[in-house]
């Protein structure tokens, strides 16, 4: 598991923290269509291999099995609606605002997920209960660094 910790002390884009609302709009991270497509193709290949094994063993291919395989292959399409917006004082992700202030600690964690064939990346923001899965977001870490670290990447 890879971990990258960032302490945003004096790196906040606004310098005011989260007390002033969202602040001005900075960037937006859109879904990574290539990654979604690749994940779907890998799952389709695995399901195709499983179907060939079913047929070679003489097992009957049931409608329920086809439905389960289809749902498994199409599951990554749920991430097509993901969008992350970076504002001066925080991040808006799936309708929830995560404040970023001067004392905010950010941890980027990379890991292998059980149901995914590709590595996953999570954004953990101090003070927030849940971590954000940014695996299917295009250049989320790069845009975060550009918005809140003052660097050009």
């Amino acid at each position: 598991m890879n971990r990258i910790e960032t302490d945003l002390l004096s790196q906040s884009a606004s310098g005011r923290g989260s007390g002033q609302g969202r602040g001005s709009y900075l960037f937006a991270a859109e879904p990574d269509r290539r990654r979604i497509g690749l994940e779907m193709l890998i799952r389709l290949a695995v399901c195709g291999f499983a179907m060939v094994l079913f047929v070679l063993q003489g097992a009957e291919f049931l409608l329920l099995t086809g439905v389960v395989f289809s749902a498994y292959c199409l599951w990554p399409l749920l991430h097509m609606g993901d969008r992350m917006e970076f504002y001066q004082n925080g991040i808006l992700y799936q309708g929830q605002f995560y404040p970023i202030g001067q004392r905010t600690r950010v941890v980027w964690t990379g890991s292998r997920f059980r149901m995914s064939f590709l590595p996953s990346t999570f954004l953990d923001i101090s003070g927030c209960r849940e971590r954000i899965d940014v695996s299917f977001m295009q250049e989320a870490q790069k845009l975060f660094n550009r918005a809140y670290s003052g660097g050009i990447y």
Side-chain angles (χ1 to χ4, degrees):
M1 180 184 325
N2 300 333
R3 280 177 71 104
I4 299 173
E5 292 192 29
T6 305
D7 191 2
L8 292 179
L9 184 62
S10 74
Q11 292 183 13
S12 176
S14 67
R16 291 188 306 265
S18 59
Q20 302 293 324
R22 289 185 187 168
S24 62
Y25 173 82
L26 300 174
F27 303 107
E30 300 291 334
D32 189 354
R33 290 181 174 85
R34 284 185 182 163
R35 182 185 168 99
I36 293 170
L38 182 61
E39 183 76 26
M40 287 177 56
L41 285 175
I42 292 171
R43 289 174 181 228
L44 184 63
V46 168
C47 289
F49 181 71
M51 287 177 16
V52 168
L53 286 179
F54 275 138
V55 171
L56 290 178
Q57 291 181 354
E60 191 174 314
F61 187 75
L62 300 173
L63 179 63
L64 179 62
T65 309
V67 169
V68 169
F69 282 173
S70 297
Y72 180 70
C73 290
L74 297 175
W75 189 265
L77 283 178
L78 293 175
H79 292 285
M80 287 298 288
D82 289 358
R83 180 178 168 84
M84 180 182 289
E85 295 178 356
F86 298 97
Y87 289 91
Q88 203 170 16
N89 296 322
I91 297 172
L92 182 66
Y93 178 72
Q94 292 185 345
Q96 185 166 348
F97 187 71
Y98 298 89
I100 302 288
Q102 291 182 343
R103 305 254 183 241
T104 304
R105 289 187 64 90
V106 174
V107 178
W108 293 91
T109 307
S111 65
R112 297 285 285 171
F113 216 36
R114 290 187 183 133
M115 296 296 291
S116 178
F117 292 96
L118 300 173
S120 299
T121 304
F122 296 95
L123 171 61
D124 190 9
I125 301 172
S126 65
C128 299
R129 291 182 301 175
E130 58 190 55
R131 58 187 188 167
I132 302 172
D133 182 5
V134 295
S135 304
F136 293 96
M137 303 300 298
Q138 191 171 11
E139 299 179 341
Q141 188 171 1
K142 178 179 168 181
L143 290 173
F144 180 90
N145 289 335
R146 188 178 294 167
Y148 302 114
S149 297
I152 299 174
Y153 299 92

